[in-house]
Amino acid sequence: MKSLLRRFLRFPVFVQLIWWLCVLGALINLWLMGRDLMTNPVLLRLHLGYFILYVGQIVFILLQEKYVACLTLLQGIIALLTTVDFIFSPVLQALGHLYYWAFTPSVETLKIYQYVFVSAAFTLQMAGAAYLWLYLRAKTSHK
């Protein structure tokens, strides 16, 4: 366990951020699956799928598996096509709430920012996938 912690602490900040956001995403989807079971299980499979993707990314990052980038890429494509459950959604939502609180934009502006949000989240997701691939590929080639 200590070796995993040491390995985690040696990761660059961006990889650590992705890992923590994946932990948050897994917890959120676990909560959503519980809610689905208690109320209406229509979205249960979707939340279960995201939960599996997040947990896979958590484990593969810790194992320094470069193919975690494939899971990150897959999640980005699925999120774009379904529910916008990107890794960086919590960060962008927090920034959006701060912006809303500070400037109180109009409804028209908010509609525009929905597209900006999805675009930024998807771009960050793809950048995260590329970064994970390049970082972990370089890491495994030095072993």
Side-chain angles (χ1 to χ4, degrees), residues 12-74:
V13 174
F14 192 62
V15 175
Q16 290 179 5
L17 175 65
I18 290 171
W19 189 84
W20 280 112
L21 290 173
C22 285
V23 169
L24 180 62
L27 292 173
I28 289 170
N29 278 286
L30 186 64
W31 177 77
L32 290 172
M33 287 182 335
R35 187 192 69 182
D36 291 342
L37 287 172
M38 297 297 190
T39 58
N40 188 359
V42 169
L43 295 176
L44 179 63
R45 290 182 184 161
L46 182 67
H47 294 140
L48 177 62
Y50 277 116
F51 177 76
I52 291 168
L53 284 169
Y54 278 121
V55 170
Q57 290 173 89
I58 290 166
V59 171
F60 284 171
I61 288 172
L62 286 178
L63 295 176
Q64 295 182 335
E65 175 58 54
K66 64 184 174 190
Y67 291 105
V68 69
C70 295
L71 289 178
T72 307
L73 180 72
L74 177 65

Side-chain angles (χ1 to χ4, degrees), residues 89-142:
S89 289
V91 173
L92 293 173
Q93 287 172 342
L95 291 173
H97 287 298
L98 285 173
Y99 179 81
Y100 182 79
W101 176 76
F103 299 106
T104 318
S106 68
V107 174
E108 293 169 355
T109 304
L110 288 176
K111 287 199 155 287
I112 292 168
Y113 281 120
Q114 287 176 344
Y115 294 108
V116 171
F117 172 85
V118 172
S119 178
F122 183 72
T123 302
L124 284 169
Q125 184 89 15
M126 295 303 107
Y131 187 84
L132 285 170
W133 174 261
L134 293 172
Y135 172 75
L136 294 173
R137 191 174 129 228
K139 195 91 168 135
T140 56
S141 68
H142 290 351

